[in-house]
Amino acid sequence: AEPLARVLLVQSEVVPQVMATWCIDQARIVFAGHSDGGSLATGLTVRTKNRSPAPAHAVISAAGITSDELNQEACPAPLHVTVLHNPEDQLFPGYGDGTVRWCRQCLQCSEEVNTEPTVCQVRQCMSGKRLRHCATAEPHHQWPDVTSHLPE
């Protein structure tokens, strides 16, 4: 299998193993990551459809998955998504915008945008879910500071 598929297969085994050992509230599972971790969080989110447990929220920061790659995937079950990406990211330029476009279509989000005090843009989506897009200023190698100010 391709390297990404192998990694996703191994990673997809982590949540069920943890849940078998610990009492986990399935409604509070979050897949989150930055850079390669953001790519994994995205991949796991889109590849857990019809599998349990699915995440309730994905926090995708500076991920290296293109909209072309996402367009080859099935839409995930409805969930909250937060996309954090510097529009001037030198390593993955424009990838955040592509992820937001793909999520908007998949999650059937409204055109109406509300801007939070954090300057993140939020759209309401199907099943009461939200798509949050935060254009960040930090360089690629740094976790975005805006996360310390996000609601929820």
Side-chain angles (χ1 to χ4, degrees):
E2 65 179 280
L4 178 60
R6 275 197 312 265
V7 169
L8 290 173
L9 179 62
V10 170
Q11 292 291 328
S12 69
E13 297 171 1
V14 172
V15 174
Q17 288 177 13
V18 169
M19 291 186 70
T21 306
W22 301 93
C23 180
I24 304 292
D25 181 352
Q26 288 192 25
R28 298 182 71 190
I29 294 174
V30 177
F31 290 172
H34 180 79
S35 191
D36 284 346
S39 299
L40 270 175
T42 306
L44 288 172
T45 298
V46 300
R47 295 203 173 170
T48 56
K49 186 172 184 166
N50 300 323
R51 289 192 7 223
S52 183
H57 196 146
V59 179
I60 302 162
S61 177
I65 293 183
T66 67
S67 56
D68 288 342
E69 291 167 325
L70 287 170
N71 287 332
Q72 296 174 36
E73 299 290 341
C75 293
L79 75 160
H80 298 291
V81 176
T82 299
V83 178
L84 311 160
H85 208 100
N86 181 338
E88 297 178 20
D89 187 310
Q90 299 295 312
L91 193 56
F92 301 129
Y95 287 28
D97 288 338
T99 300
V100 169
R101 280 191 306 275
W102 185 80
C103 288
R104 278 183 60 198
Q105 179 269 321
C106 276
L107 300 175
Q108 301 173 20
C109 301
S110 70
E111 292 294 321
E112 182 180 338
V113 176
N114 294 315
T115 303
E116 296 176 330
T118 59
V119 191
C120 297
Q121 297 180 334
V122 181
R123 287 184 168 82
Q124 297 301 316
C125 307
M126 70 174 159
S127 302
K129 305 305 180 184
R130 286 179 307 283
L131 171 60
R132 178 178 286 115
H133 180 208
C134 306
T136 62
E138 290 79 13
H140 183 83
H141 67 275
Q142 185 177 339
W143 179 259
D145 183 55
V146 71
T147 58
S148 64
H149 306 289
L150 292 177
E152 296 170 53

